[in-house]
Amino acid sequence: MSVDERKAPAPYSNPYLAGIGLGLVLLAAFVLVGRGLGASGGFSALVAGGVSAVAPAHAQRLEWLSNYLLPGTNPLQEWLLFEVVGVFAGALLSGLLAHRVRLGVDKGPRAATGLRLGMAFAGGALMAIGAALARGCTSGQALTGGSLLNLGSWVFMMMVFAGAYGLASVVRWQWR
Amino acid sequence: MIAPFLKYGAFGDQASLVVAFLIGIGFGFALERAGFGSAKKLVAQFYLTDMAVFKVMFTAIVTAMLGVTLLSWIGFLDLSLVYLTPTFLVPQIVGGLVLGAGFVVGGYCPGTSVAAAATGRLDALVLMLGALAGTLLYAEAYPLVKPLHEMTPMGAVTLPQYFNLPYGLVVLAVVLMAVGGFAGATWVERWMASQGASAPAAGRPGRGPRVNRRLAAAALVLGVVAVAAQPTRAGRVTVASDELAALAARGADQVAPTELADWIIAGRADYRLLDLRADTEFAAYRIPTAEHVPIARLLDSGLARNEKLVLYADDGVKASQAWFLMKANGYKGVYMVTGGLDGWKAQVLFPRLLDGTTGEAQRENALLRSRAARFGGTPLAAGSAAATPAAAPMPVTPSVAAPSLPGGAAKAPARKKREGC
C-alpha cells in the first residue's frame, strides 16, 4: 500500500466492547489450557533460549532461568512465547483492517526522537525487572490473576497504578 | 467436568502450542482494537485525559471473572486446575511499583509493546529490546536479588480465601467496584476535557452510552447471580501414568525431612503440611505447622488442587497411598516427606552425627545439632549403638515461630515447567 493510497485510520473501539473481547480471549485460555495470558514470560523464554544458544554452560548457571532450561526441553517451545508471537500477528491483522499500521515513533511533537527511544529502552528494562520480581506483568498478573481473584495479583495491580501515577509528571515531556 | 481441556487430556503439549498462537492472535487483536498499540493512548491513563486502560482492563477482568465463576458453578470448568500464580507479597509490591514506573517511562507494558511493534511503532520495538536486556540483567544478578525475590511466600491464595469471604460475594464486589469505577473514570475524562486538556488519540465513544449502560446492567445481574455460585472443586481427571511413573522414578515426589525442617525454620508459607495419622497419634506428636487430615477425609477436606501439599504418616506406605489417591484426583503439587515420621526422627530429631574431624563433617554436624535442637531432639553420637531413633522418647511438639532465621529456605523440589507469566 503506497503512502497516497492509504486510508485514514479508523477510530478505536468502544473500550467496554474491546474489554469484553479481551476478557473472552482470557476465558478461552482458562477453558482450553487452564492458564491465562502473559507477555513477560515469553521474553524470559527468549532470553533463556538466546543465552543457552550462545553460552550453554553459562545458561545452566542462571538459576532464575532454570525453569526454562530443564534437560530435554527446548526453551523456545514455551507456551507464552508462541502466545506472544500470536499477539504480534493478531495486532498486525487488526491494525491492517483498521488502517492503523504506520511506521513511526509514538511521542509528543516537541520531544526528540532519540530521547524518546532511550526512554523506551529504559522503560522496557525497568518493566522486565518489575515483572521478574512480581512473577508476571500486566497480562500475566493484573489481567489473569485479577480475574482469578489472586491476592498477589490485586496487590501488584494497585502498585502498578501507584508507580505509574507517581512518576507520570516527571516524564510528561515525552508526550507534549 | 471437562475443562480445562488440556488438563483433562483433550489435546497434548504440542497441540497446546498451536492453541497458544491462536489465543495470542485474539489477545493481540483485542489490544490493537482498544488502541493499545499507541503509547500516547496508553499513558493518557496516567494524565487522566483518557481512561481507556482502566476501562478495558477492568471490563476484561470482570468478563473473565464472571465466566470462570459461572462455568465452574455449572460444573463445566474445574477452577482448581487453573494455574494460580503464588503470592509473594513484598516482591510483588516492589515489582508492581517498578513495572508501573517502567510503564509510564517507556509508554507501553510488555504485552502492549508487542501489539504496538506489530503496527509499526519503533519505540515499542526498542522497548522490547530493553525488556530483553532487563530480563538478562535480572537473570545475571539473580543471586543478589534472590533474598528479595523469595521474600514473604504465601502460596497460591485468592482474595476470598485470604479474607475468608464467599467466592461469589467477592465477585459481586469486584463488579460493583468496576462499574462504579467506569462511571468515575468517565466523569474524570469529562472534567479534564472541560479544563482544556486534549485527550490524546481519543477514539469515538463507541455506540454511545446506551450500549454501555446495558453492558453495566448485564454485568450487575451476572454479579448478583454469582453470589449464589460456589465454584465446584470436585471432578475426575485421567491418571497420567507415565507422568506419575517419571515423577516417582526421579524422586521428584519427595521432600527430604531436612529440607522440610529448613522450610519450617525459614517460615515458608507456600505449602501445606498434612498429617495423615490417627487423631491420638496427631495429638501425641506432630511435625510443627502440620495440619491434621486423616486419609479418609483427604479428598473432601477442601484442599485446592493448585496448592502445594506435603504429606506424611508414620512410614512411607500410607503417604504413598495418599499421594497416588491425590494425584489420580488431579491434585498437582503433592509431595511426601521421605520416610514419613520415621524419616523425620532419623534425620531431624535424632540424627546420627558424622564420624570425622574434617571441616565438612564438623559443619554438617553443627547443622544437624542446630536443627535437632530447634525441634526439641538430640543428635546421636557417631558410632554409638545407643537407642534407635524409633525408640527414643519423642519431644513435646515445639511451637515454631513463623519467619525467623533468614536465608534458611531450601530449594523447592524440581517442578514441571512454569505456567506463570
Side-chain angles (χ1 to χ4, degrees):
Chain A
M1 189 164 23
S2 83
V3 177
D4 308 52
E5 274 174 76
R6 64 188 188 183
K7 296 182 184 157
Y12 297 127
S13 301
N14 175 337
Y16 305 113
L17 295 178
I20 288 173
L22 184 55
L24 291 177
V25 173
L26 178 55
L27 184 59
F30 289 144
V31 168
L32 289 171
V33 289
R35 60 187 293 167
L37 304 171
S40 53
F43 289 69
S44 307
L46 202 56
V47 170
V51 177
S52 70
V54 176
H58 181 66
Q60 288 303 323
R61 283 197 296 272
L62 297 177
E63 187 189 343
W64 184 64
L65 291 175
S66 61
N67 270 323
Y68 295 99
L69 297 167
L70 298 177
T73 63
N74 178 354
L76 300 181
Q77 295 228 337
E78 162 68 25
W79 197 90
L80 279 175
L81 189 55
F82 276 70
E83 185 241 44
V84 167
V85 174
V87 170
F88 191 94
L92 180 60
L93 179 67
S94 168
L96 287 173
L97 290 175
H99 316 291
R100 285 195 287 255
V101 181
R102 297 274 191 282
L103 212 56
V105 174
D106 213 11
K107 64 176 187 64
R110 274 173 282 170
T113 303
L115 277 176
R116 166 72 194 114
L117 292 183
M119 293 291 277
F121 190 88
L126 274 176
M127 277 191 292
I129 292 164
L133 273 171
R135 282 116 179 122
C137 57
T138 26
S139 317
Q141 277 288 13
L143 206 53
T144 303
S147 63
L148 294 174
L149 304 179
N150 189 341
L151 173 70
S153 305
W154 279 81
V155 172
F156 167 81
M157 200 181 338
M158 287 172 207
M159 291 301 128
V160 169
F161 279 103
Y165 277 107
L167 210 64
S169 59
V170 181
V171 292
R172 186 158 202 171
W173 55 267
Q174 293 189 89
W175 317 108
R176 287 187 194 273
Chain B
M1 203 82 66
I2 54 167
F5 293 149
L6 173 68
K7 296 191 177 175
Y8 278 87
F11 51 86
D13 283 344
Q14 291 296 318
S16 86
L17 295 179
V18 178
V19 175
F21 180 69
L22 295 175
I23 285 175
I25 288 180
F27 187 18
F29 196 92
L31 288 177
E32 207 287 330
R33 286 284 124 174
F36 291 179
S38 159
K40 279 199 257 186
K41 172 98 177 160
L42 287 165
V43 296
Q45 171 71 41
F46 307 116
Y47 301 107
L48 304 176
T49 50
D50 181 345
M51 308 285 259
V53 168
F54 172 78
K55 290 177 181 175
V56 172
M57 203 166 126
F58 272 81
T59 307
I61 286 175
V62 165
T63 305
M65 175 187 70
L66 287 171
V68 288
T69 308
L70 298 174
L71 287 181
S72 100
W73 187 37
I74 62 169
F76 176 78
L77 171 71
D78 187 344
L79 192 51
S80 67
L81 286 176
V82 173
Y83 180 78
L84 201 63
T85 309
T87 292
F88 288 75
L89 207 55
V90 170
Q92 281 168 341
I93 289 172
V94 178
L97 288 170
V98 172
L99 191 135
F103 193 166
V104 77
V105 166
Y108 305 93
C109 66
T112 52
S113 73
V114 179
T119 49
R121 299 303 204 291
L122 294 172
D123 47 333
L125 200 64
V126 170
L127 181 134
M128 287 170 70
L129 294 176
L132 291 175
T135 304
L136 183 61
L137 179 70
Y138 197 86
E140 295 290 348
Y142 185 65
L144 295 175
V145 287
K146 195 178 173 185
L148 174 63
H149 189 95
E150 299 204 324
M151 210 179 269
T152 54
M154 295 170 68
V157 55
T158 61
L159 294 171
Q161 283 168 346
Y162 187 76
F163 292 110
N164 201 16
L165 291 167
Y167 199 90
L169 202 62
V170 180
V171 168
L172 178 63
V174 171
V175 173
L176 290 174
M177 204 188 72
V179 172
F182 297 153
T186 305
W187 184 86
V188 169
E189 283 171 349
R190 289 210 187 107
W191 186 79
M192 287 300 286
S194 75
Q195 299 297 300
S198 62
R204 188 174 50 181
R207 269 174 277 163
R210 210 173 57 186
V211 175
N212 297 348
R213 272 202 293 274
R214 283 192 188 153
L215 291 174
L220 288 171
V221 169
L222 290 175
V224 170
V225 171
V227 174
Q230 277 308 312
T232 327
R233 291 182 182 275
R236 304 243 155 235
V237 272
T238 47
V239 179
S241 318
D242 294 354
E243 189 195 320
L244 294 196
L247 280 174
R250 286 209 322 258
D253 53 343
Q254 309 262 334
V255 176
T258 46
E259 198 175 4
L260 176 66
D262 291 338
W263 290 0
I264 297 170
I265 293 170
R268 280 175 61 146
D270 56 342
Y271 68 97
R272 287 171 74 176
L273 181 62
L274 307 179
D275 188 322
L276 305 169
R277 299 170 307 146
D279 298 7
T280 47
E281 293 171 302
F282 180 76
Y285 178 79
R286 57 184 170 271
I287 298 178
T289 72
E291 300 166 63
H292 186 220
V293 185
I295 196 163
R297 290 209 305 269
L298 205 48
L299 295 180
D300 35 53
S301 48
L303 297 163
R305 286 195 265 184
N306 44 21
E307 275 182 301
K308 183 169 171 180
L309 306 168
V310 182
L311 312 173
Y312 75 90
D314 279 321
D315 54 16
V317 178
K318 211 174 177 189
S320 314
Q321 291 169 332
W323 180 84
F324 187 79
L325 184 69
M326 300 198 82
K327 278 288 184 185
N329 278 279
Y331 289 81
K332 289 288 154 187
V334 194
Y335 301 87
M336 294 174 274
V337 179
T338 313
L341 203 54
D342 291 345
W344 174 261
K345 289 182 206 166
Q347 291 184 39
V348 176
L349 292 180
F350 313 110
R352 191 167 295 280
L353 294 175
L354 298 177
D355 201 1
T357 48
T358 59
E360 202 179 328
Q362 299 285 335
R363 266 196 304 280
E364 182 61 23
N365 282 343
L367 197 59
L368 291 174
R369 279 200 195 89
S370 80
R371 252 197 230 112
R374 179 85 194 183
F375 292 101
T378 11
L380 306 177
S384 74
T388 58
M394 291 302 287
V396 180
T397 303
S399 62
V400 171
S404 46
L405 306 184
K411 199 172 182 295
R415 265 169 301 173
K416 271 189 78 187
K417 288 198 97 176
R418 46 189 271 164
E419 290 187 83
C421 174

